[in-house]
Every structure is written in structure tokens, then in C-alpha cells.
Amino acid sequence: MNAPAIISHFDIKQRWMACHVKQAQFPTKESLTGYDIYHAATQSPEPFVMPAAPATHPLTLYWIDSHPLMIQYAKLQAKQWPESDHANMLAYFAQLALQDGVEVAEAGVSLCIGTQNGETCAAAMRVDTQENGQPISGIYDLIAPTDDARAQLLRAMMEATDDNRQWVIAR
């Protein structure tokens, strides 16, 4: 996969992340600050392949399709940042929505959380784009408590795709 296609894919993902506060009717100061922090810290993705099957499947996975699950995603993502940024990051991630009228047309986005013993402990975002006819999918903001949980989450996010798809991940 060529670098311009990866950069274009990443730019679409970044526009999707921005649109939820930059195009929102009433963004909060905290969500705008959270976006600025997030945007400054993001790194371009790199190509990767599906990991080996995990020895165990420690997570119960949920595809985010409701506001309560989105809040769980937002809370877990916010906890990954320094404590001084938690409130701003929570406000930012809580602004994300899969169907709110401000999506970026070029991106298909799926979010997933994983629980273990009833606690939300894993999360990831999948962004699907087309670059010059080539399907590209990226995994972003991946959180997992163990290597098996990480492999389980990645494999779940990569299921049901065609063999021609190129995969990237932001580390």
C-alpha cells in the first residue's frame, strides 16, 4: 500500500473525529479542548495483518449501537489520558456519535467495547474508506488489558471483510 493512500485514509478518519465538535451546533469548551489534545497526539497508521488467534477469548464484545455503550467507550478512552485531561477527553469522546448528521461521507465507522467480569476494559475504532478503488480499513484508539484480549478485539473488528482489503493500525 502506498503512503499517499494511507495518509488520505488517515485524513478522512481525522475529519470524522473533528466533525463531531467542529460541526456541532453547541460544542462545549471542554469537548473542543479535548479534540485539540486528541488531534495533537494522533499518529499516522501503519500497515498490519490480522494477529494469530488468541489462546483464550477473555472479552465479551459489544458493537456500539446505543448511547449507553457510547458513554462506556468515551469513559474508557478518556481514562487513557493524563488525569489532568480526563474531563476534556470525556467531553470530547462523549460527543462522538455514529448517527448524528455530521458524519464524513467517505468514512464508515464502527466502534466496539469489550468487557471482562462486567467491567469495560477494551475498546477500538474501525474506519473504512476507499482510496482509488482500494478498500482500506484502519484500527484506531485500541485499548486492551492483555495480548489475548487485544488479538480477540482485533480479529473481531477484522471479520467479514474481503481479501483485497488493506489494513492499517495506529500504534
Side-chain angles (χ1 to χ4, degrees):
M1 182 177 357
N2 62 32
I6 293 173
I7 291 168
S8 178
H9 168 84
F10 180 66
D11 287 346
I12 292 169
K13 177 259 184 187
Q14 291 297 90
R15 282 200 327 266
W16 187 86
M17 294 296 290
C19 75
H20 298 281
V21 291
K22 300 294 184 178
Q23 296 177 22
Q25 190 172 8
F26 303 107
T28 65
K29 176 184 166 193
E30 294 82 5
S31 66
L32 291 168
T33 300
Y35 166 75
D36 290 340
I37 294 167
Y38 179 87
H39 184 73
T42 55
Q43 299 177 13
S44 296
E46 300 172 0
F48 86 110
V49 296
M50 185 180 292
T56 65
H57 290 83
L59 303 174
T60 302
L61 299 175
Y62 299 93
W63 294 98
I64 296 177
D65 62 359
S66 66
H67 185 67
L69 292 176
M70 181 60 80
I71 294 301
Q72 291 300 312
Y73 180 88
K75 288 170 59 177
L76 184 62
Q77 290 292 343
K79 287 181 186 177
Q80 307 310 303
W81 295 84
E83 191 170 332
S84 60
D85 293 330
H86 281 191
N88 291 327
M89 298 312 295
L90 179 59
Y92 170 60
F93 284 113
Q95 286 280 146
L96 299 181
L98 296 176
Q99 298 155 340
D100 65 0
V102 296
E103 287 84 17
V104 173
E106 301 97 335
V109 179
S110 302
L111 304 172
C112 186
I113 60 170
T115 63
Q116 194 172 33
N117 301 320
E119 295 293 322
T120 303
C121 62
M125 171 190 304
R126 175 178 160 171
V127 177
D128 298 318
T129 64
Q130 288 273 335
E131 301 301 326
N132 298 319
Q134 170 68 55
I136 299 175
S137 292
I139 306 294
Y140 298 93
D141 304 332
L142 177 67
I143 301 165
T146 66
D147 288 343
D148 277 355
R150 183 179 195 281
Q152 179 188 0
L153 182 55
L154 280 171
R155 289 178 69 87
M157 296 201 87
M158 296 174 78
E159 286 181 348
T161 59
D162 57 68
D163 292 335
N164 192 31
R165 182 168 302 276
Q166 297 293 309
W167 286 95
V168 295
I169 191 167
R171 308 240 180 238

